[in-house]
Amino acid sequence: MKRDYSLNPVGRSGRPRRPIEIAMTPMIDVIFLLLVFFLATSSFQLVEQLLPSGVSNISTPAGDAAQPPEDPNQDVLEQVIVKIEMEGGVAVAKLGGVTLPAMSQLKERLEAIGGVRADVPVVIDPQAEVKAADVVRAYDWARQAGLARVYLATRQ
């Protein structure tokens, strides 16, 4: 006598087998709990102090502080920080931590940076005492140099 196993599956003991059921609901619950946990503990903000910046880390030997930084190249430019401060009633620009002798040299430096890489972020960071006209002038020079990402730093 031949048995048909496809219609009536039988185990080794001769009794019919029960179909295997996998409970998916607890597995889906665990996956959603993990998803909520990772979303709740993740931070989607970059901490400003941890952002790499090759231009701001240029060090100058003692006595060379009056010299402007070297010509920019593709490797160094990740972010450009322009600090505008008041010294003796005159606005002075600092590019990469080095004080530029005149504000007009800032325009030349920004044009050189724009010629190397136009998509580099430029952050203009004025002191509270700096006149708005000097800040707008620096912003305009950066945009005229072809730099697309020009930002103004703010303080609370």
Side-chain angles (χ1 to χ4, degrees):
M1 177 175 189
K2 189 174 179 182
R3 288 189 176 180
D4 186 8
Y5 291 106
S6 62
L7 296 176
N8 189 10
V10 178
R12 290 185 182 174
S13 65
R15 291 184 292 193
R17 285 191 234 171
R18 290 184 10 205
I20 298 174
E21 294 181 22
I22 299 175
M24 294 297 290
T25 304
M27 189 183 315
I28 292 171
D29 289 345
V30 169
I31 289 173
F32 278 122
L33 284 173
L34 287 172
L35 178 67
V36 169
F37 172 77
F38 287 121
L39 285 175
T41 59
S42 296
S43 174
F44 297 107
Q45 259 184 341
L46 290 176
V47 179
E48 186 174 334
Q49 290 84 12
L50 298 179
L51 293 175
S53 175
V55 175
S56 64
N57 294 333
I58 295 175
S59 61
T60 57
D64 289 343
Q67 286 184 341
E70 299 174 11
D71 287 334
N73 58 28
Q74 188 73 19
D75 299 333
V76 175
L77 296 177
E78 293 178 17
Q79 180 180 20
V80 177
I81 299 176
V82 178
K83 293 190 178 206
I84 303 175
E85 301 174 352
M86 294 299 288
E87 291 182 4
V90 178
V92 176
K94 290 185 178 182
L95 184 65
V98 178
T99 304
L100 299 176
M103 274 296 272
S104 60
Q105 285 190 350
L106 176 61
K107 181 178 182 179
E108 298 167 7
R109 298 296 303 159
L110 290 173
E111 288 173 353
I113 292 169
V116 172
R117 190 170 146 205
D119 65 336
V120 65
V122 176
V123 179
I124 299 175
D125 185 12
Q127 278 185 343
E129 301 85 27
V130 175
K131 295 178 184 176
D134 294 325
V135 176
V136 171
R137 184 179 311 120
Y139 181 86
D140 288 341
W141 286 342
R143 297 294 293 174
Q144 289 170 1
L147 296 165
R149 297 168 46 187
V150 182
Y151 306 105
L152 293 174
T154 59
R155 291 179 182 80
Q156 291 182 350

